[in-house]
């Protein structure tokens, strides 16, 4: 089991998109994500050509990304991923769009946006992150080696 440092590295404050609290390992990208044609809903894997996360799954992780791109199919794809148990446990994003907001709502996934600092500058893939949508906070810990 991975141990966390007792004290968080940083706490970011933002705006609630969807309430609730979830935590997990972060999966971070600086590229927007396309739902329709960019994600395999069967396993939560990014399949978008030339995407830096191509071949990686966000299932069970805290997805940290700039925002959604593409059509209204984004929320449908992410909703189906949720039904298959392949959705992220929480989302943190910078660019509020109807696609990203609706995706978070249909997944019922805690989500925060409009942070006081850019989460992409503070969260790295593999960090342990707690997203508290109700409080609008994102708490980040470094992971200790096992």
């Amino acid at each position: 089991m991975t141990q966390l440092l007792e004290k968080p590295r940083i706490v970011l404050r933002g705006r609630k998109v969807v309430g609730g609290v979830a935590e997990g390992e972060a999966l971070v990208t600086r590229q927007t994500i396309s739902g329709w044609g960019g994600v395999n809903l069967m396993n939560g894997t990014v399949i978008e050509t030339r995407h830096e996360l191509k071949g990686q799954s966000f299932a069970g992780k805290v997805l940290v990304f700039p925002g959604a791109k593409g059509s209204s199919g984004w929320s449908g794809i992410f909703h189906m991923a949720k039904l298959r148990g392949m959705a992220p446990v929480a989302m943190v994003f910078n660019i509020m769009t109807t696609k990203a907001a609706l995706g978070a709502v249909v997944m019922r996934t805690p989500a925060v946006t409009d942070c006081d600092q850019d989460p992409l500058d503070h969260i790295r893939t593999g960090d342990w992150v707690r997203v508290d949508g109700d409080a609008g906070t994102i708490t980040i810990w470094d992971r200790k080696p096992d």
Side-chain angles (χ1 to χ4, degrees):
M1 175 181 230
T2 301
Q3 296 178 344
L4 305 176
L5 292 175
E6 289 183 23
K7 185 176 179 180
R9 184 172 71 231
I10 190 169
V11 177
L12 305 178
R13 287 168 177 59
R15 183 167 56 96
K16 167 185 166 179
V17 178
V18 174
V21 178
E23 62 182 69
E25 184 179 340
L27 180 65
V28 181
T29 179
R30 290 193 169 273
Q31 297 177 321
T32 55
I33 295 177
S34 176
W36 190 260
V39 171
N40 179 336
L41 62 89
M42 302 301 277
N43 58 16
T45 300
V46 175
I47 59 173
E48 184 177 345
T49 306
R50 291 185 223 102
H51 197 284
E52 66 183 340
L53 293 182
K54 185 172 184 197
Q56 295 184 56
S57 176
F58 50 67
K61 302 207 173 162
V62 175
L63 182 60
V64 182
F65 63 116
K69 68 178 175 182
S71 69
S72 58
W74 204 90
S75 60
I77 295 299
F78 276 76
H79 177 68
M80 293 302 293
K82 172 75 172 193
L83 293 176
R84 294 202 42 82
M86 295 294 142
V89 295
M91 296 194 311
V92 176
F93 53 90
N94 293 337
I95 304 165
M96 173 60 95
T97 63
T98 55
K99 292 178 276 305
L102 185 56
V105 168
V106 299
M107 288 190 296
R108 293 184 217 115
T109 299
V112 174
T113 191
D114 294 338
C115 296
D116 57 353
Q117 298 179 60
D118 188 343
L120 297 172
D121 290 339
H122 295 282
I123 305 172
R124 299 179 303 266
T125 293
D127 285 347
W128 193 260
V129 178
R130 177 183 300 131
V131 177
D132 184 335
D134 298 316
T137 59
I138 303 152
T139 307
I140 303 117
W141 289 269
D142 290 315
R143 295 183 69 154
K144 281 187 171 180
D146 290 331

